[in-house]
Amino acid sequence: MSKQYETVIGLEVHVELATRTKIFCSCSTRFGGAPNTHTCPVCTGMPGSLPVLNRKVVEYAMAVGLAANCQINQLCKFDRKNYFYPDNPQNYQISQLYLPICHDGWVEIETAQGQKKKIGIHEIHMEEDAGKLIHDEWEDCSLVDYNRSGVPLIEIVSEPDMRSADEVIAYLEKLRLMIQYLGASDCKLQEGSMRADVNLSVREAGSSELGTRTEMKNLNSFKAIARAIEGERQRQIELLEDGKAVTQETRRWDDNKESSKPMRSKEDAKDYRYFPDPDLPPVVISDQWIEKVRAAQPELRDEKMERYQKEYGLPAYDASILTESKAMADLFEETVKLCKKPKEASNWLMVEAMRLLKEKAMEPEEMGLSAASLAALIDMVESKEINRTIAKTVFQEMFDQDLDPRQYVKDHGLGMVSDDGALKEAIARVIEENPQSVADYKSGKTKAMGYLVGQTMKAMKGKADPASVSSMVKEMLEQM
Protein backbone atom coordinates (compact mmCIF):
# COMPACT_ATOMS: atom_id res chain seq x y z
CA MET A 1 0.00 0.00 0.00
CA SER A 2 1.53 3.36 -1.08
CA LYS A 3 2.08 6.08 1.47
CA GLN A 4 -0.20 9.10 1.73
CA TYR A 5 1.48 12.52 1.65
CA GLU A 6 0.47 15.96 2.85
CA THR A 7 1.63 19.13 1.08
CA VAL A 8 2.76 22.05 3.26
CA ILE A 9 2.89 25.46 1.58
CA GLY A 10 3.90 28.95 2.64
CA LEU A 11 4.10 32.01 0.39
CA GLU A 12 6.26 35.09 0.07
CA VAL A 13 4.18 37.64 -1.79
CA HIS A 14 5.87 40.78 -3.14
CA VAL A 15 3.58 43.73 -3.87
CA GLU A 16 4.68 46.95 -5.58
CA LEU A 17 3.04 49.87 -3.81
CA ALA A 18 1.04 52.54 -5.65
CA THR A 19 3.19 55.51 -4.70
CA ARG A 20 4.03 58.05 -7.42
CA THR A 21 7.71 58.02 -6.45
CA LYS A 22 10.20 55.38 -5.34
CA ILE A 23 10.87 54.32 -1.76
CA PHE A 24 14.11 56.27 -1.20
CA CYS A 25 14.17 58.87 -4.01
CA SER A 26 11.83 61.03 -6.10
CA CYS A 27 12.05 59.03 -9.35
CA SER A 28 8.77 57.97 -10.99
CA THR A 29 7.36 54.49 -10.33
CA ARG A 30 5.25 54.54 -13.53
CA PHE A 31 5.26 51.21 -15.36
CA GLY A 32 6.87 51.27 -18.79
CA GLY A 33 8.99 54.11 -20.10
CA ALA A 34 12.25 53.84 -22.01
CA PRO A 35 14.90 51.80 -20.16
CA ASN A 36 16.85 53.66 -17.47
CA THR A 37 14.84 56.89 -17.75
CA HIS A 38 13.24 56.71 -14.27
CA THR A 39 16.57 56.73 -12.47
CA CYS A 40 18.86 58.91 -10.36
CA PRO A 41 22.09 58.49 -8.31
CA VAL A 42 20.14 56.99 -5.37
CA CYS A 43 18.29 54.20 -7.19
CA THR A 44 21.30 53.35 -9.35
CA GLY A 45 23.53 53.00 -6.26
CA MET A 46 26.01 55.79 -6.99
CA PRO A 47 28.68 56.32 -4.30
CA GLY A 48 27.79 59.02 -1.79
CA SER A 49 24.06 59.07 -2.59
CA LEU A 50 21.77 58.92 0.44
CA PRO A 51 18.28 57.37 0.74
CA VAL A 52 15.31 59.31 2.18
CA LEU A 53 12.26 57.24 3.16
CA ASN A 54 8.94 57.90 1.38
CA ARG A 55 6.33 58.41 4.14
CA LYS A 56 3.51 57.07 1.94
CA VAL A 57 5.25 53.67 1.76
CA VAL A 58 4.98 53.38 5.55
CA GLU A 59 1.29 54.29 5.47
CA TYR A 60 0.46 51.77 2.74
CA ALA A 61 2.38 49.05 4.61
CA MET A 62 0.47 49.88 7.81
CA ALA A 63 -2.88 49.88 5.95
CA VAL A 64 -2.23 46.40 4.55
CA GLY A 65 -1.02 45.19 7.96
CA LEU A 66 -4.12 46.47 9.74
CA ALA A 67 -6.42 44.92 7.12
CA ALA A 68 -4.55 41.61 7.64
CA ASN A 69 -5.05 41.74 11.43
CA CYS A 70 -1.32 42.30 12.06
CA GLN A 71 0.47 43.86 15.01
CA ILE A 72 2.34 47.06 14.08
CA ASN A 73 5.94 47.43 15.23
CA GLN A 74 5.99 51.01 16.47
CA LEU A 75 9.79 51.01 16.21
CA CYS A 76 10.97 49.40 12.99
CA LYS A 77 14.30 49.52 11.20
CA PHE A 78 15.81 48.95 7.78
CA ASP A 79 18.60 46.45 7.14
CA ARG A 80 20.99 45.80 4.28
CA LYS A 81 20.69 42.42 2.58
CA ASN A 82 24.03 41.92 0.82
CA TYR A 83 24.29 40.01 -2.45
CA PHE A 84 25.69 40.57 -5.93
CA TYR A 85 23.51 40.41 -9.00
CA PRO A 86 23.64 42.67 -12.09
CA ASP A 87 20.15 44.11 -11.52
CA ASN A 88 21.11 45.09 -7.95
CA PRO A 89 23.16 48.28 -8.44
CA GLN A 90 24.26 48.80 -4.81
CA ASN A 91 25.22 45.12 -4.30
CA TYR A 92 22.79 45.20 -1.39
CA GLN A 93 19.03 45.55 -1.02
CA ILE A 94 17.50 47.74 1.67
CA SER A 95 14.94 45.53 3.43
CA GLN A 96 13.74 44.69 6.97
CA LEU A 97 14.89 41.55 8.77
CA TYR A 98 15.09 42.21 12.50
CA LEU A 99 12.21 44.64 13.07
CA PRO A 100 9.66 44.48 10.22
CA ILE A 101 6.76 46.95 10.24
CA CYS A 102 4.00 44.29 10.70
CA HIS A 103 3.91 40.86 12.31
CA ASP A 104 1.59 38.10 13.57
CA GLY A 105 -1.52 38.59 11.47
CA TRP A 106 -3.98 36.44 9.53
CA VAL A 107 -6.49 36.48 6.70
CA GLU A 108 -9.48 34.19 6.40
CA ILE A 109 -10.15 32.18 3.24
CA GLU A 110 -12.90 29.83 2.17
CA THR A 111 -11.69 26.36 1.21
CA ALA A 112 -12.98 24.31 -1.73
CA GLN A 113 -15.21 22.47 0.80
CA GLY A 114 -16.81 25.80 1.79
CA GLN A 115 -15.11 25.92 5.20
CA LYS A 116 -13.49 29.02 6.70
CA LYS A 117 -9.76 28.79 7.37
CA LYS A 118 -7.31 31.31 8.80
CA ILE A 119 -3.93 31.63 7.08
CA GLY A 120 -1.32 33.06 9.42
CA ILE A 121 0.87 35.97 8.34
CA HIS A 122 4.33 35.79 9.91
CA GLU A 123 5.32 39.32 8.93
CA ILE A 124 5.03 42.13 6.40
CA HIS A 125 8.16 44.12 5.69
CA MET A 126 9.08 47.06 3.47
CA GLU A 127 11.90 46.91 0.94
CA GLU A 128 13.09 48.23 -2.42
CA ASP A 129 12.69 46.36 -5.69
CA ALA A 130 15.64 45.43 -7.90
CA GLY A 131 16.09 46.37 -11.54
CA LYS A 132 15.22 44.09 -14.43
CA LEU A 133 17.49 41.97 -16.60
CA ILE A 134 16.48 41.66 -20.25
CA HIS A 135 18.08 38.72 -22.04
CA ASP A 136 18.78 39.40 -25.72
CA GLU A 137 19.23 36.02 -27.38
CA TRP A 138 19.91 37.59 -30.80
CA GLU A 139 22.91 39.57 -29.50
CA ASP A 140 23.75 36.90 -26.91
CA CYS A 141 23.87 39.38 -24.05
CA SER A 142 21.87 40.63 -21.07
CA LEU A 143 20.81 44.25 -20.66
CA VAL A 144 19.84 45.95 -17.40
CA ASP A 145 16.91 48.33 -16.94
CA TYR A 146 17.04 50.14 -13.58
CA ASN A 147 13.60 51.80 -13.92
CA ARG A 148 12.19 49.31 -11.40
CA SER A 149 15.15 49.63 -9.03
CA GLY A 150 13.96 51.34 -5.85
CA VAL A 151 10.23 50.86 -6.53
CA PRO A 152 8.66 50.32 -3.08
CA LEU A 153 7.64 46.78 -2.14
CA ILE A 154 5.99 45.09 0.75
CA GLU A 155 6.73 41.42 1.23
CA ILE A 156 3.95 39.45 2.89
CA VAL A 157 5.34 36.27 4.44
CA SER A 158 2.74 33.66 5.36
CA GLU A 159 2.99 30.82 7.84
CA PRO A 160 3.15 27.33 6.23
CA ASP A 161 -0.63 26.95 6.70
CA MET A 162 -1.78 26.06 3.17
CA ARG A 163 -2.24 22.46 2.07
CA SER A 164 -3.29 22.68 -1.59
CA ALA A 165 -3.14 24.82 -4.73
CA ASP A 166 -6.82 25.73 -4.17
CA GLU A 167 -6.01 27.18 -0.74
CA VAL A 168 -3.03 29.08 -2.17
CA ILE A 169 -5.15 30.66 -4.92
CA ALA A 170 -7.92 31.54 -2.41
CA TYR A 171 -5.29 33.21 -0.18
CA LEU A 172 -3.76 35.14 -3.10
CA GLU A 173 -7.19 36.27 -4.32
CA LYS A 174 -8.00 37.45 -0.81
CA LEU A 175 -4.75 39.44 -0.58
CA ARG A 176 -5.12 40.85 -4.09
CA LEU A 177 -8.66 42.16 -3.54
CA MET A 178 -7.84 43.45 -0.06
CA ILE A 179 -4.83 45.44 -1.34
CA GLN A 180 -6.74 46.73 -4.39
CA TYR A 181 -9.62 47.91 -2.19
CA LEU A 182 -7.08 49.71 0.03
CA GLY A 183 -5.65 51.42 -3.07
CA ALA A 184 -2.17 50.29 -1.97
CA SER A 185 -1.38 48.56 -5.31
CA ASP A 186 -3.05 47.57 -8.58
CA CYS A 187 -1.71 44.00 -8.02
CA LYS A 188 -1.29 43.30 -11.74
CA LEU A 189 0.54 39.99 -12.00
CA GLN A 190 1.21 40.53 -15.71
CA GLU A 191 3.13 43.75 -14.93
CA GLY A 192 4.93 42.24 -11.95
CA SER A 193 3.27 44.46 -9.36
CA MET A 194 2.24 41.30 -7.48
CA ARG A 195 4.60 38.32 -7.43
CA ALA A 196 4.56 35.16 -5.36
CA ASP A 197 7.33 32.74 -4.40
CA VAL A 198 6.09 29.35 -3.26
CA ASN A 199 7.78 27.47 -0.41
CA LEU A 200 6.65 23.85 -0.56
CA SER A 201 7.46 20.60 1.19
CA VAL A 202 5.73 17.24 1.54
CA ARG A 203 5.50 14.89 4.52
CA GLU A 204 3.78 11.66 5.33
CA ALA A 205 0.15 12.20 6.29
CA GLY A 206 -0.18 12.40 10.06
CA SER A 207 3.43 13.50 10.63
CA SER A 208 4.06 16.68 12.61
CA GLU A 209 7.59 17.19 11.26
CA LEU A 210 8.08 19.44 8.25
CA GLY A 211 9.81 18.04 5.17
CA THR A 212 12.65 19.75 3.30
CA ARG A 213 11.24 22.72 1.43
CA THR A 214 12.03 24.22 -1.93
CA GLU A 215 11.27 27.75 -3.12
CA MET A 216 9.83 28.33 -6.57
CA LYS A 217 10.19 31.61 -8.43
CA ASN A 218 9.14 33.02 -11.82
CA LEU A 219 5.40 32.63 -11.15
CA ASN A 220 3.45 35.36 -12.93
CA SER A 221 -0.14 34.09 -12.96
CA PHE A 222 -2.48 32.20 -10.65
CA LYS A 223 -2.68 29.38 -13.19
CA ALA A 224 1.12 29.09 -13.29
CA ILE A 225 1.21 29.03 -9.48
CA ALA A 226 -1.35 26.20 -9.35
CA ARG A 227 0.55 24.19 -11.99
CA ALA A 228 3.89 24.81 -10.24
CA ILE A 229 2.51 23.58 -6.90
CA GLU A 230 1.18 20.37 -8.43
CA GLY A 231 4.39 19.81 -10.40
CA GLU A 232 6.69 20.35 -7.41
CA ARG A 233 4.50 18.27 -5.13
CA GLN A 234 4.72 15.32 -7.53
CA ARG A 235 8.48 15.78 -8.00
CA GLN A 236 9.15 15.67 -4.25
CA ILE A 237 6.87 12.65 -3.69
CA GLU A 238 8.65 10.75 -6.48
CA LEU A 239 12.04 11.50 -4.89
CA LEU A 240 10.85 10.24 -1.49
CA GLU A 241 9.23 7.15 -3.02
CA ASP A 242 12.59 6.36 -4.68
CA GLY A 243 14.37 6.70 -1.32
CA LYS A 244 16.10 9.94 -2.33
CA ALA A 245 16.37 13.17 -0.35
CA VAL A 246 14.77 16.48 -1.32
CA THR A 247 17.41 19.22 -1.59
CA GLN A 248 16.67 22.64 -0.08
CA GLU A 249 17.05 24.95 -3.04
CA THR A 250 15.51 27.70 -5.12
CA ARG A 251 13.91 26.46 -8.35
CA ARG A 252 12.75 28.32 -11.44
CA TRP A 253 9.37 27.32 -12.86
CA ASP A 254 9.03 27.10 -16.65
CA ASP A 255 5.31 27.33 -17.35
CA ASN A 256 5.68 26.39 -21.03
CA LYS A 257 7.43 23.11 -20.16
CA GLU A 258 5.40 22.72 -16.94
CA SER A 259 8.54 21.81 -15.03
CA SER A 260 11.07 23.45 -12.73
CA LYS A 261 14.86 23.44 -12.63
CA PRO A 262 17.32 24.35 -9.86
CA MET A 263 18.56 27.95 -9.70
CA ARG A 264 20.73 27.86 -6.59
CA SER A 265 21.09 26.18 -3.21
CA LYS A 266 18.85 27.96 -0.73
CA GLU A 267 20.68 30.61 1.26
CA ASP A 268 19.97 31.29 4.92
CA ALA A 269 19.79 34.78 6.40
CA LYS A 270 23.45 34.52 7.45
CA ASP A 271 24.50 34.17 3.82
CA TYR A 272 23.18 37.67 3.13
CA ARG A 273 25.23 39.22 6.00
CA TYR A 274 22.36 41.42 7.14
CA PHE A 275 23.20 44.48 9.22
CA PRO A 276 21.24 47.65 10.12
CA ASP A 277 21.33 50.25 7.35
CA PRO A 278 23.57 53.09 8.60
CA ASP A 279 21.97 55.72 6.34
CA LEU A 280 18.37 55.28 7.50
CA PRO A 281 17.19 56.13 11.03
CA PRO A 282 14.62 53.91 12.78
CA VAL A 283 10.97 54.55 11.91
CA VAL A 284 8.97 55.57 14.98
CA ILE A 285 5.21 55.04 14.56
CA SER A 286 2.97 56.82 17.07
CA ASP A 287 -0.42 55.61 18.32
CA GLN A 288 -1.96 58.64 16.61
CA TRP A 289 -0.43 57.73 13.25
CA ILE A 290 -1.76 54.17 13.49
CA GLU A 291 -5.24 55.44 14.38
CA LYS A 292 -5.17 57.92 11.49
CA VAL A 293 -4.38 55.09 9.04
CA ARG A 294 -7.00 52.83 10.67
CA ALA A 295 -9.68 55.56 10.39
CA ALA A 296 -8.96 55.96 6.67
CA GLN A 297 -9.43 52.24 5.90
CA PRO A 298 -12.16 51.75 3.27
CA GLU A 299 -14.93 49.16 3.27
CA LEU A 300 -13.29 45.88 2.23
CA ARG A 301 -14.82 43.15 0.07
CA ASP A 302 -16.33 40.94 2.80
CA GLU A 303 -18.10 43.90 4.41
CA LYS A 304 -19.28 45.13 1.00
CA MET A 305 -20.73 41.71 0.06
CA GLU A 306 -22.69 41.60 3.30
CA ARG A 307 -23.99 45.16 2.83
CA TYR A 308 -25.09 44.51 -0.78
CA GLN A 309 -27.28 41.66 0.43
CA LYS A 310 -28.81 43.64 3.30
CA GLU A 311 -29.07 47.11 1.77
CA TYR A 312 -29.86 46.23 -1.85
CA GLY A 313 -31.50 42.84 -1.38
CA LEU A 314 -29.11 41.19 -3.83
CA PRO A 315 -28.52 37.41 -3.80
CA ALA A 316 -25.16 36.30 -2.35
CA TYR A 317 -24.02 35.26 -5.84
CA ASP A 318 -24.61 38.75 -7.29
CA ALA A 319 -22.82 40.38 -4.36
CA SER A 320 -19.88 38.03 -4.81
CA ILE A 321 -19.48 38.72 -8.56
CA LEU A 322 -19.90 42.50 -8.29
CA THR A 323 -17.26 42.81 -5.55
CA GLU A 324 -14.61 40.72 -7.34
CA SER A 325 -13.31 44.02 -8.70
CA LYS A 326 -13.26 47.35 -6.87
CA ALA A 327 -13.85 49.14 -10.19
CA MET A 328 -17.00 47.05 -10.81
CA ALA A 329 -18.26 47.58 -7.24
CA ASP A 330 -17.73 51.35 -7.51
CA LEU A 331 -19.56 51.48 -10.85
CA PHE A 332 -22.47 49.47 -9.42
CA GLU A 333 -22.84 51.72 -6.36
CA GLU A 334 -22.68 54.96 -8.37
CA THR A 335 -25.28 53.61 -10.81
CA VAL A 336 -27.65 52.62 -8.00
CA LYS A 337 -27.35 56.10 -6.46
CA LEU A 338 -28.58 57.57 -9.73
CA CYS A 339 -31.29 55.11 -10.84
CA LYS A 340 -32.33 53.49 -7.51
CA LYS A 341 -32.64 50.07 -9.22
CA PRO A 342 -29.97 47.79 -7.70
CA LYS A 343 -31.15 44.51 -9.26
CA GLU A 344 -31.32 46.05 -12.75
CA ALA A 345 -27.84 47.58 -12.36
CA SER A 346 -26.55 44.24 -11.10
CA ASN A 347 -28.06 42.36 -14.05
CA TRP A 348 -26.54 44.68 -16.66
CA LEU A 349 -23.08 44.47 -15.10
CA MET A 350 -23.14 40.74 -14.37
CA VAL A 351 -24.48 39.68 -17.77
CA GLU A 352 -23.65 42.21 -20.48
CA ALA A 353 -20.55 43.84 -18.94
CA MET A 354 -19.02 40.49 -17.91
CA ARG A 355 -19.70 39.05 -21.39
CA LEU A 356 -17.97 41.95 -23.12
CA LEU A 357 -15.05 41.92 -20.68
CA LYS A 358 -14.49 38.25 -21.45
CA GLU A 359 -14.85 38.73 -25.22
CA LYS A 360 -12.40 41.63 -25.29
CA ALA A 361 -10.01 40.17 -22.67
CA MET A 362 -10.29 43.38 -20.65
CA GLU A 363 -10.17 44.26 -16.97
CA PRO A 364 -13.13 46.14 -15.39
CA GLU A 365 -10.84 49.18 -14.91
CA GLU A 366 -10.55 49.47 -18.70
CA MET A 367 -14.28 49.88 -19.39
CA GLY A 368 -15.33 53.20 -20.90
CA LEU A 369 -18.70 52.93 -19.17
CA SER A 370 -19.87 55.57 -16.68
CA ALA A 371 -22.49 55.25 -13.95
CA ALA A 372 -24.47 58.17 -15.42
CA SER A 373 -24.78 56.45 -18.80
CA LEU A 374 -25.76 53.08 -17.34
CA ALA A 375 -28.34 54.65 -15.03
CA ALA A 376 -29.83 56.56 -17.98
CA LEU A 377 -30.03 53.35 -20.05
CA ILE A 378 -31.81 51.53 -17.20
CA ASP A 379 -34.31 54.41 -16.89
CA MET A 380 -34.96 54.35 -20.67
CA VAL A 381 -35.81 50.64 -20.58
CA GLU A 382 -38.01 51.16 -17.52
CA SER A 383 -39.95 54.01 -19.18
CA LYS A 384 -40.23 51.98 -22.43
CA GLU A 385 -38.33 54.55 -24.49
CA ILE A 386 -36.38 51.56 -25.85
CA ASN A 387 -36.78 47.81 -25.47
CA ARG A 388 -34.16 45.46 -24.05
CA THR A 389 -32.94 44.29 -27.44
CA ILE A 390 -32.12 47.85 -28.50
CA ALA A 391 -30.73 48.57 -25.03
CA LYS A 392 -28.18 45.74 -25.45
CA THR A 393 -27.00 47.31 -28.72
CA VAL A 394 -26.65 50.71 -27.03
CA PHE A 395 -24.87 49.15 -24.03
CA GLN A 396 -22.24 47.65 -26.32
CA GLU A 397 -21.48 51.12 -27.70
CA MET A 398 -21.40 52.62 -24.19
CA PHE A 399 -19.01 49.90 -23.03
CA ASP A 400 -16.32 50.96 -25.49
CA GLN A 401 -16.76 54.70 -25.23
CA ASP A 402 -18.76 56.61 -22.66
CA LEU A 403 -21.66 58.19 -24.50
CA ASP A 404 -25.09 59.59 -23.69
CA PRO A 405 -27.56 56.75 -24.44
CA ARG A 406 -30.46 59.18 -25.02
CA GLN A 407 -28.48 61.10 -27.65
CA TYR A 408 -27.27 57.87 -29.27
CA VAL A 409 -30.83 56.51 -29.51
CA LYS A 410 -32.02 59.81 -30.97
CA ASP A 411 -29.16 60.07 -33.50
CA HIS A 412 -29.67 56.49 -34.72
CA GLY A 413 -33.48 56.48 -34.68
CA LEU A 414 -33.67 53.62 -32.19
CA GLY A 415 -36.52 54.95 -30.03
CA MET A 416 -39.54 52.73 -29.43
CA VAL A 417 -42.42 53.08 -31.93
CA SER A 418 -45.44 53.86 -29.76
CA ASP A 419 -47.84 54.55 -32.68
CA ASP A 420 -50.54 51.85 -32.28
CA GLY A 421 -51.77 52.50 -35.82
CA ALA A 422 -48.35 51.74 -37.36
CA LEU A 423 -48.00 48.66 -35.17
CA LYS A 424 -51.45 47.30 -36.10
CA GLU A 425 -50.69 47.89 -39.76
CA ALA A 426 -47.44 45.90 -39.48
CA ILE A 427 -49.19 43.03 -37.63
CA ALA A 428 -51.99 42.89 -40.23
CA ARG A 429 -49.37 42.65 -42.99
CA VAL A 430 -47.49 39.85 -41.18
CA ILE A 431 -50.73 37.90 -40.60
CA GLU A 432 -51.66 38.28 -44.26
CA GLU A 433 -48.22 37.06 -45.43
CA ASN A 434 -48.19 34.02 -43.11
CA PRO A 435 -51.50 32.14 -43.54
CA GLN A 436 -49.95 28.80 -42.48
CA SER A 437 -48.88 30.21 -39.09
CA VAL A 438 -52.39 31.63 -38.62
CA ALA A 439 -53.90 28.22 -39.44
CA ASP A 440 -51.47 26.50 -37.04
CA TYR A 441 -52.46 28.90 -34.24
CA LYS A 442 -56.15 28.31 -34.92
CA SER A 443 -55.59 24.54 -34.73
CA GLY A 444 -54.10 24.90 -31.23
CA LYS A 445 -50.39 25.24 -32.02
CA THR A 446 -49.79 28.24 -29.75
CA LYS A 447 -46.07 28.38 -30.65
CA ALA A 448 -47.10 29.72 -34.06
CA MET A 449 -47.94 33.04 -32.41
CA GLY A 450 -44.28 33.40 -31.35
CA TYR A 451 -43.25 33.26 -35.00
CA LEU A 452 -45.76 35.98 -35.90
CA VAL A 453 -44.53 38.18 -33.04
CA GLY A 454 -40.95 37.68 -34.22
CA GLN A 455 -41.84 38.64 -37.80
CA THR A 456 -43.61 41.76 -36.51
CA MET A 457 -40.56 42.78 -34.45
CA LYS A 458 -38.45 42.29 -37.57
CA ALA A 459 -40.84 44.45 -39.59
CA MET A 460 -40.61 47.16 -36.89
CA LYS A 461 -36.77 46.87 -36.96
CA GLY A 462 -36.84 45.92 -33.29
CA LYS A 463 -38.28 49.29 -32.28
CA ALA A 464 -41.44 48.02 -30.61
CA ASP A 465 -42.32 46.74 -27.17
CA PRO A 466 -42.40 42.90 -27.42
CA ALA A 467 -45.13 42.69 -24.75
CA SER A 468 -47.34 45.13 -26.67
CA VAL A 469 -46.70 43.30 -29.94
CA SER A 470 -47.55 39.95 -28.37
CA SER A 471 -50.77 41.33 -26.90
CA MET A 472 -51.87 42.90 -30.20
CA VAL A 473 -51.02 39.81 -32.27
CA LYS A 474 -53.09 37.64 -29.93
CA GLU A 475 -55.97 40.10 -29.98
CA MET A 476 -56.03 40.26 -33.81
CA LEU A 477 -55.79 36.46 -34.15
CA GLU A 478 -58.66 35.96 -31.72
CA GLN A 479 -60.82 38.36 -33.78
CA MET A 480 -60.26 36.34 -36.98
Side-chain angles (χ1 to χ4, degrees):
M1 183 177 169
S2 62
K3 294 176 183 175
Q4 295 296 308
Y5 291 91
E6 180 180 50
T7 313
V8 179
I9 308 165
L11 295 188
E12 296 168 14
V13 179
H14 293 83
V15 177
E16 286 184 357
L17 298 176
T19 56
R20 291 195 304 276
T21 56
K22 294 183 180 181
I23 185 169
F24 299 123
C25 66
S26 58
C27 292
S28 170
T29 57
R30 190 164 45 84
F31 181 75
N36 300 306
T37 53
H38 302 161
T39 57
C40 73
V42 174
C43 57
T44 53
M46 295 297 167
S49 61
L50 291 171
V52 177
L53 178 60
N54 183 337
R55 180 185 177 93
K56 191 67 181 173
V57 173
V58 181
E59 293 189 343
Y60 276 148
M62 269 199 281
V64 175
L66 291 170
N69 305 292
C70 288
Q71 304 295 311
I72 307 296
N73 263 331
Q74 293 188 250
L75 177 70
C76 64
K77 296 180 181 180
F78 284 96
D79 306 292
R80 287 189 182 180
K81 176 182 181 181
N82 297 276
Y83 66 95
F84 173 77
Y85 204 66
D87 64 3
N88 183 22
Q90 301 141 284
N91 292 334
Y92 62 82
Q93 178 191 31
I94 301 176
S95 183
Q96 293 187 304
L97 175 69
Y98 301 109
L99 287 172
I101 187 167
C102 310
H103 63 95
D104 296 317
W106 53 269
V107 296
E108 190 173 70
I109 64 166
E110 189 171 305
T111 66
Q113 293 74 38
Q115 297 171 325
K116 303 286 186 184
K117 179 176 180 177
K118 285 184 179 177
I119 306 298
I121 291 176
H122 180 72
E123 68 175 59
I124 300 175
H125 59 259
M126 301 177 284
E127 61 186 23
E128 59 182 345
D129 208 345
K132 187 176 182 181
L133 277 179
I134 296 138
H135 304 291
D136 187 333
E137 291 181 12
W138 184 258
E139 295 288 341
D140 192 25
C141 66
S142 292
L143 305 171
V144 189
D145 179 5
Y146 287 127
N147 280 351
R148 200 175 68 183
S149 181
V151 166
L153 294 175
I154 53 171
E155 182 174 342
I156 305 166
V157 183
S158 82
E159 299 292 356
D161 289 344
M162 288 159 275
R163 298 291 176 265
S164 68
D166 286 342
E167 289 186 7
V168 167
I169 302 306
Y171 169 74
L172 286 170
E173 285 282 14
K174 185 82 173 199
L175 284 185
R176 185 177 66 85
L177 284 169
M178 181 180 82
I179 293 166
Q180 285 178 338
Y181 270 89
L182 290 167
S185 174
D186 58 21
C187 292
K188 291 181 179 177
L189 276 80
Q190 69 275 20
E191 292 182 5
S193 57
M194 184 179 188
R195 314 193 285 274
D197 298 337
V198 175
N199 291 288
L200 183 149
S201 64
V202 296
R203 64 185 177 191
E204 283 190 47
S207 172
S208 58
E209 285 188 26
L210 292 171
T212 303
R213 67 184 170 87
T214 59
E215 180 181 28
M216 274 182 298
K217 292 184 176 289
N218 195 38
L219 303 167
N220 56 9
S221 74
F222 287 169
K223 286 181 179 176
I225 289 165
R227 283 193 287 264
I229 287 169
E230 190 53 37
E232 181 61 11
R233 175 180 174 276
Q234 289 294 74
R235 189 189 73 85
Q236 290 191 21
I237 289 172
E238 284 169 16
L239 283 172
L240 296 175
E241 290 283 318
D242 290 343
K244 297 175 183 176
V246 175
T247 304
Q248 184 173 329
E249 61 189 357
T250 300
R251 300 182 67 84
R252 182 181 181 85
W253 176 254
D254 186 329
D255 203 41
N256 293 322
K257 295 178 181 176
E258 294 197 16
S259 65
S260 64
K261 61 182 180 181
M263 285 173 64
R264 58 180 181 266
S265 295
K266 181 62 184 171
E267 302 92 339
D268 292 313
K270 65 179 186 296
D271 296 319
Y272 290 120
R273 303 187 318 283
Y274 280 94
F275 61 85
D277 191 290
D279 294 332
L280 286 161
V283 181
V284 180
I285 300 171
S286 66
D287 291 341
Q288 291 83 357
W289 196 5
I290 293 174
E291 287 313 309
K292 182 182 174 185
V293 172
R294 195 192 304 276
Q297 298 284 80
E299 181 184 47
L300 297 178
R301 188 197 183 194
D302 288 352
E303 301 162 296
K304 205 176 277 289
M305 282 174 62
E306 194 174 324
R307 180 169 64 82
Y308 282 10
Q309 293 172 69
K310 287 181 181 174
E311 186 177 328
Y312 301 129
L314 294 181
Y317 179 75
D318 291 37
S320 171
I321 297 296
L322 291 169
T323 55
E324 275 182 357
S325 155
K326 185 176 184 296
M328 189 70 82
D330 289 345
L331 178 57
F332 167 73
E333 289 186 34
E334 288 300 314
T335 303
V336 172
K337 276 183 194 172
L338 295 169
C339 72
K340 307 292 187 292
K341 299 178 183 72
K343 186 55 182 164
E344 276 293 301
S346 171
N347 288 346
W348 279 103
L349 292 173
M350 284 179 57
V351 179
E352 293 303 312
M354 289 297 185
R355 177 180 63 80
L356 290 168
L357 285 170
K358 187 175 180 182
E359 277 180 18
K360 297 170 185 284
M362 287 169 61
E363 295 295 326
E365 295 80 9
E366 300 173 279
M367 282 192 294
L369 182 63
S370 74
S373 297
L374 180 54
L377 186 73
I378 290 169
D379 286 340
M380 290 172 76
V381 174
E382 188 78 9
S383 60
K384 296 191 175 179
E385 293 173 59
I386 55 175
N387 62 34
R388 286 194 178 274
T389 305
I390 296 294
K392 286 179 183 180
T393 303
V394 178
F395 183 90
Q396 188 145 346
E397 296 297 322
M398 288 164 45
F399 181 90
D400 293 321
Q401 49 181 322
D402 191 30
L403 49 82
D404 178 356
R406 294 185 192 280
Q407 191 63 47
Y408 184 85
V409 165
K410 183 180 176 184
D411 292 346
H412 292 79
L414 298 174
M416 196 101 85
V417 174
S418 52
D419 181 349
D420 282 359
L423 189 53
K424 284 180 179 175
E425 190 179 314
I427 294 170
R429 192 163 56 251
V430 166
I431 286 174
E432 186 182 334
E433 291 169 357
N434 294 277
Q436 185 58 52
S437 295
V438 174
D440 288 345
Y441 178 79
K442 290 290 185 183
S443 65
K445 295 178 182 176
T446 52
K447 285 184 180 178
M449 193 181 85
Y451 176 77
L452 296 170
V453 169
Q455 290 301 108
T456 305
M457 290 298 294
K458 189 175 177 182
M460 300 298 295
K461 296 181 179 175
K463 296 185 288 183
D465 176 28
S468 298
V469 171
S470 185
S471 175
M472 280 192 188
V473 168
K474 187 175 183 181
E475 185 181 326
M476 291 176 75
L477 287 172
E478 295 295 341
Q479 289 173 356
M480 291 177 70

